[in-house]
Amino acid sequence: MLECDVACIPEPKLHPFDTGGAPLEIDFIKKLGEGIHSHVWKARIHGKIYALKLAELAAYRHGSWRSRSLSFHSERWRQSEFSIISVLLIHRARLLTGSCPQFTDEQDPGDPSFREMFGSEDARWPYIHAFPNEYRAFARLKEFGQEHLAVACYGWIELDESHYDFMDRHISKYAWHRGRKRYAIVKELLDFGYTRCCHEEIRRVFASLKLVKRTFQGLKTMHNLGIFVGDIKEDNISEGKYVDFSRSWTAPHPYTANPGKLSGEGPPSWDADNLEEMVHGEDGWNAFFPAEKIWDRLLPSLEYLAKLRSSKGLSEGQIQGRCYNAWSGHPEDFTYQKARKLFGQVTDPGRKSEHLKTTEYIERWKCEACERRREMQRAKR
Ligand SMILES: Nc1ncnc2c1ncn2[C@@H]1O[C@H](COP(=O)(O)OP(=O)(O)OP(=O)(O)O)[C@@H](O)[C@H]1O
C-alpha cells in the first residue's frame, strides 16, 4: 500500500497546525468548493474559522490535465510537456479502474531518468500529490518570509478516524481509503465570494495596476524561490495573492532539477505562458477590456515584444527566448545561497543545507522514515 506520510515529504518543511497541545477538533461547516485535486471546506478548528483543503490521494484525477499549459506556443515546450502527460495518463488509467494510483517500473513512462530518480512508489508521492505540493510551496514561502505572496496558510493537520466518517459520507467519490494517513492544509478563508472563472472577478482582481504588479512580481519572486506554480489562472489568484499550489513543484524537485525532458525552458515558461494567457487569451483581460491593455507593459508578451523596434525581424524562436529571459527567476536554478542573497536570512536559523542535487536529496530522505515504518510493519506481521 502506498505510504503517504508527512514525514516522507522532503524539505522545506511546513509546520503542523498549532492546536496548543489539545486534541484536534474540527467542525465542518460547509463545502466551499472543489477542484481536481481536492475538496475545500469551511471549518471551525478550535473556535476559529478556516478554509480546510482536503486533498485526495490521487496525484491527478481523470480528465484533470486540461490546463492552459496545453496551449504552449512553441514546439519545444510542447514536447517537454508530453512526458508529464504520459505520467498523468497512467494515473488516469489507474483511477478509472478504481485503484489508488501507483507506479510500477513497467508502467512508468519511457523515461529512464524518472525510474532512476525514484526507486519506489513511496518516493514519488511527495512530488506528485496535491498535499505535498502545497505543503512544500507554503513552507518555502515561509522559509524566506514571503508568505504575503499567497493566501495565509496555518499549517497542516492529520485527520483521524472521526473525520474519516464525515469524509466517507460527504466526499464519497474520493479515494478516502481507510488505513492510509490523510492530511489537510489549513488556509485563510477567503470570504468575499471567491468564484471560479468569473469575468467580474477578473475585473475586480485586476482592476488596479498595483494588483497586476503584485501578481506579476509575486510570480517572479516564487520562481526565484524555486517554486513553479503550475496552475496559474484567474480563479487561483485572489487580490494578487496565489491561492492554489496543488500542481506546484518546489525545488529541489525531480521535474525541475532533472536535466532531462522537463528541464531548460520548461516549467517557468509555462507559468509565464499561463499568466500571459490570462491577459491575452480569448477570455483574458485584454479581450474584455481592450482599452486598458495595462498588462502589455508588464508581461513579456510575444505580441508586445514583436511590436518593439528591437524585436523586428526576429524569428518566433528568438522572441520566445527573449520572452523567457524576461523571467529572472527559474525554479530549477534555486539554491539557498542565491535565495538568501535575494530575500535575506532563512527563517530557520538552524538551516545549513545548501543546494542539493535532487538525487542526493531523494537518497537522503526516502530511506529513513519510510524504511523504519516498513520495518515496523514487517515486524508486526
Ligand atoms: N481559501 C479559500 N477560501 C474560500 N474558498 C476557497 C479557498 N480555497 C479554495 N476555495 C474554493 O475551493 C475550490 C477548490 O480549491 P482549489 O482550487 O484550491 O482546489 P484544487 O483541487 O487544487 O483545484 P484545481 O482544480 O484548480 O487544481 C476553489 O475553486 C474555491 O471555490
Side-chain angles (χ1 to χ4, degrees), residues 235-246:
D235 39 331
N236 282 345
I237 296 173
S238 159
E239 303 284 354
K241 293 187 178 200
Y242 290 81
V243 175
D244 179 6
F245 291 97
S246 291

Side-chain angles (χ1 to χ4, degrees), residues 32-38 40 51 53 151 187-190 194 196 231 233 236 243-244 246-247:
L32 294 167
E34 71 180 279
I36 287 158
H37 312 99
S38 58
V40 181
K53 182 159 174 175
V151 63
K187 294 185 189 179
E188 162 195 3
L189 177 77
L190 300 171
Y194 181 62
R196 297 180 81 87
D231 194 12
K233 52 186 181 183
N236 282 345
V243 175
D244 179 6
S246 291
R247 288 184 183 175

Side-chain angles (χ1 to χ4, degrees), residues 55-72:
E56 63 168 319
L57 282 171
Y60 297 96
R61 232 156 32 91
H62 163 56
S64 66
W65 197 246
R66 263 285 301 123
S67 94
R68 289 164 179 214
S69 334
L70 290 178
S71 60
F72 302 140

Side-chain angles (χ1 to χ4, degrees), residues 74-294:
S74 100
E75 192 54 36
R76 188 178 53 231
W77 293 353
R78 207 174 283 133
Q79 276 171 4
S80 58
E81 179 201 25
F82 278 140
S83 54
I84 313 183
I85 289 179
S86 51
V87 173
L88 298 175
L89 285 174
I90 292 168
H91 275 298
R92 174 184 158 164
R94 300 202 132 234
L95 284 160
L96 285 175
T97 59
S99 58
C100 182
Q102 295 183 347
F103 286 119
T104 64
D105 279 351
E106 313 83 75
Q107 285 158 324
D108 268 349
D111 181 354
S113 56
F114 191 83
R115 281 201 297 275
E116 269 165 37
M117 281 191 296
F118 299 103
S120 67
E121 294 153 14
D122 293 345
R124 287 167 200 148
W125 174 74
Y127 291 110
I128 57 173
H129 185 268
F131 172 73
N133 287 350
E134 290 230 315
Y135 171 110
R136 295 188 73 227
F138 280 116
R140 173 60 49 77
L141 290 174
K142 195 164 180 56
E143 231 177 359
F144 286 93
Q146 300 295 316
E147 300 103 305
H148 57 278
L149 299 180
V151 63
C153 171
Y154 300 96
W156 58 270
I157 52 171
E158 183 177 343
L159 301 158
D160 65 26
E161 285 294 323
S162 62
H163 310 128
Y164 290 6
D165 287 336
F166 171 85
M167 287 153 74
D168 288 341
R169 264 200 317 277
H170 295 273
I171 321 177
S172 54
K173 69 178 176 170
Y174 278 77
W176 300 115
H177 301 291
R178 281 180 190 274
R180 281 201 183 87
K181 289 177 181 270
R182 299 184 248 194
Y183 301 99
I185 299 275
V186 185
K187 294 185 189 179
E188 162 195 3
L189 177 77
L190 300 171
D191 58 358
F192 53 87
Y194 181 62
T195 49
R196 297 180 81 87
C197 290
C198 158
H199 298 306
E200 273 312 302
E201 178 77 356
I202 303 177
R203 178 187 250 297
R204 208 176 59 73
V205 171
F206 297 108
S208 85
L209 192 58
K210 209 169 148 198
L211 281 176
V212 173
K213 270 191 176 154
R214 192 192 294 170
T215 309
F216 177 65
Q217 289 298 343
L219 184 60
K220 277 171 84 169
T221 304
M222 285 194 279
H223 282 183
N224 276 317
L225 287 171
I227 302 168
F228 157 65
V229 180
D231 194 12
I232 291 185
K233 52 186 181 183
E234 60 275 12
D235 39 331
N236 282 345
I237 296 173
S238 159
E239 303 284 354
K241 293 187 178 200
Y242 290 81
V243 175
D244 179 6
F245 291 97
S246 291
R247 288 184 183 175
S248 68
W249 300 334
T250 299
H253 187 288
Y255 287 145
T256 61
N258 174 32
K261 290 178 187 158
L262 291 168
S263 67
E265 299 183 0
S269 317
W270 303 349
D271 274 351
D273 192 68
N274 286 351
L275 196 50
E276 191 182 327
E277 193 164 333
M278 277 176 61
V279 182
H280 297 289
E282 268 174 33
D283 295 333
W285 171 264
N286 284 340
F288 277 79
F289 309 105
E292 307 168 49
K293 288 198 168 187
I294 47 176

Side-chain angles (χ1 to χ4, degrees), residues 4 26 39 46 49 60 69 99 109 119 138 162 260 294 296 327 355:
C4 300
I26 307 175
H39 274 227
H46 295 266
I49 301 291
Y60 297 96
S69 334
S99 58
F138 280 116
S162 62
I294 47 176
D296 282 357
W327 293 85
H355 181 59

